[in-house]
Amino acid sequence: MTPATWPCPLPAGGAAREYALVFDRGRQHRLLIVPALFDESNRLRRFTVEVMRRLDGAGIDCFLADLPGCNESLQPLERQDTTDWTDAATAAACHFKATYALGIRGGCLFTPTGLPVWHYAPVKAASILRQMLRARILAAREAGREETRELLAETAVVSGIELSGYRLGADFFRHFEKMAPASRAATIAQEAVGGSGLWMRAEPGEDSAQADALAAILIAGIAP
Amino acid sequence: MSDDTDQLLRRILTDVLGLKPGQADGFDADTGLFGHLPELDSMAVAGLLTELEDRLDIVIEDDEIDGEMLETFGGLLAFAEAKRTGA
């Protein structure tokens, strides 16, 4: 497992280096992974890397790329739009010469086209936002402030909003809230992996049986 | 219905809090939740409520969420049971 960088297109032209965690031995089968988003990305990162270790062991190269504005990225999150993330995932797939792609949870909204794609426990953007808005309302209430979902959403589409520490721009919010995972992907439901999804854990966790199961599904699809 | 809700709620808490199997069986009506368990912050509670909605097939309005219902296992169970009966 090594850190790598790749050229990610900037909206105004040019490119910035973004980070990726890679297992790259120049092998034939190459899987790009679009990580889960926001809070869920932290909770699922270790699980994701555990799946990558198993893929590596089975002879599959894999690449976990940061979306601009996320994880180690130096780009401001609030300046990202949804098209920037789609472009980023496409550029990462091209740079790493991916032959397959896997989206995890919210990452399924940004998996590149033109490759065989799996979606693990895909989620609609509206569901992600609903939970983040609820967390903000709960935190405000605890601090003695009343906020309503309607008012927050109205503000968000005009001037952007900070949810769970993530500063989302107005354009992003408007475009993101309508997004749903594309149906062309092969969906891997949590039931196929067993146990309960680690994204719902209050603290980041890991589960080797689930990592084994998800890796096995991918390996069977890539290198039967 | 009530036994079912009780079991489902214990399972959801097990999933959200990452409890060992059986650990949630020890929860009683007075077991403290929000404000008692450090890992159950507002983000985790939001996740917990989303899971409740999905698995109990209910809709929870923001203004229905108050400290009392989240404070103890008994409070949350009473809320979930009332929601399911009303649904």
Side-chain angles (χ1 to χ4, degrees):
Chain A
M1 179 168 52
T2 50
T5 64
W6 53 282
C8 180
L10 290 167
R17 305 301 294 186
E18 292 294 356
Y19 175 82
L21 201 56
V22 309
F23 287 90
D24 190 357
R25 302 176 208 265
R27 290 171 289 195
Q28 178 194 355
H29 300 303
R30 307 171 68 78
L31 178 76
L32 175 77
I33 301 176
V34 185
L37 305 179
F38 311 123
D39 215 53
E40 289 189 354
S41 74
N42 299 325
R43 295 186 229 172
L44 288 174
R45 192 160 180 91
R46 182 163 171 82
F47 171 69
T48 305
V49 173
E50 284 301 307
V51 173
M52 291 172 75
R53 289 184 198 283
R54 287 155 173 78
L55 295 173
D56 174 55
I60 297 165
D61 282 350
C62 40
F63 310 87
L64 178 60
D66 282 357
L67 292 169
C70 302
N71 198 39
E72 301 290 342
S73 174
L74 298 176
Q75 299 303 311
L77 175 61
E78 62 188 288
R79 292 231 291 273
Q80 302 304 312
D81 202 340
T82 50
T83 48
D84 299 325
W85 283 6
T86 307
D87 292 347
T90 304
C94 181
H95 176 80
F96 292 116
K97 300 183 175 63
T99 53
Y100 300 89
L102 167 70
I104 296 186
R105 296 284 292 162
C108 300
L109 301 165
F110 300 99
T111 42
T113 52
L115 294 174
V117 171
W118 283 275
H119 283 169
Y120 167 58
V123 61
K124 283 185 193 158
S127 303
I128 297 175
L129 288 176
R130 177 172 164 78
Q131 189 160 322
M132 290 170 90
L133 283 164
R134 176 173 271 165
R136 170 153 169 169
I137 292 165
L138 282 168
R141 194 168 294 167
E142 229 187 321
R145 291 192 316 272
E146 264 315 305
E147 291 182 329
T148 68
R149 186 177 298 272
E150 294 71 26
L151 205 59
L152 288 175
E154 274 174 39
T155 311
V157 297
V158 177
S159 46
I161 189 168
E162 185 167 321
L163 295 174
S164 314
Y166 297 94
R167 177 85 213 155
L168 309 178
D171 288 343
F172 181 93
F173 190 95
R174 261 199 322 274
H175 298 143
F176 183 67
E177 68 176 340
K178 298 189 192 83
M179 292 181 80
S183 54
R184 62 189 160 73
T187 299
I188 304 170
Q190 181 58 32
E191 293 79 65
V193 172
S196 64
L198 294 170
W199 64 84
M200 63 181 88
R201 289 276 177 90
E203 303 286 338
E206 59 178 288
D207 186 320
S208 58
Q210 287 194 34
D212 286 345
L214 180 53
I217 293 168
L218 296 166
I219 292 162
I222 292 172
Chain B
M1 174 71 93
S2 136
D3 283 352
D4 181 24
T5 307
D6 183 286
Q7 282 310 308
L8 282 166
L9 186 56
R10 287 178 203 272
R11 210 174 305 158
I12 293 167
L13 284 165
T14 298
D15 292 347
V16 169
L17 297 170
L19 304 176
K20 292 186 182 67
Q23 209 177 332
D25 294 347
F27 285 9
D28 62 27
D30 296 328
T31 301
L33 299 177
F34 194 41
H36 300 269
L37 302 168
E39 60 269 51
L40 210 52
D41 59 11
S42 54
M43 191 67 208
V45 168
L48 174 67
L49 296 174
T50 304
E51 282 303 308
L52 278 175
E53 288 182 321
D54 289 353
R55 293 202 228 172
L56 302 181
D57 198 23
I58 57 175
V59 176
I60 302 169
E61 303 297 337
D62 295 323
D63 57 12
E64 292 177 312
I65 305 164
D66 61 34
E68 207 177 320
M69 115 200 207
L70 291 167
E71 198 184 339
T72 60
F73 179 76
L76 192 55
L77 180 60
F79 173 83
E81 282 174 342
K83 265 286 178 189
R84 288 189 99 189
T85 316

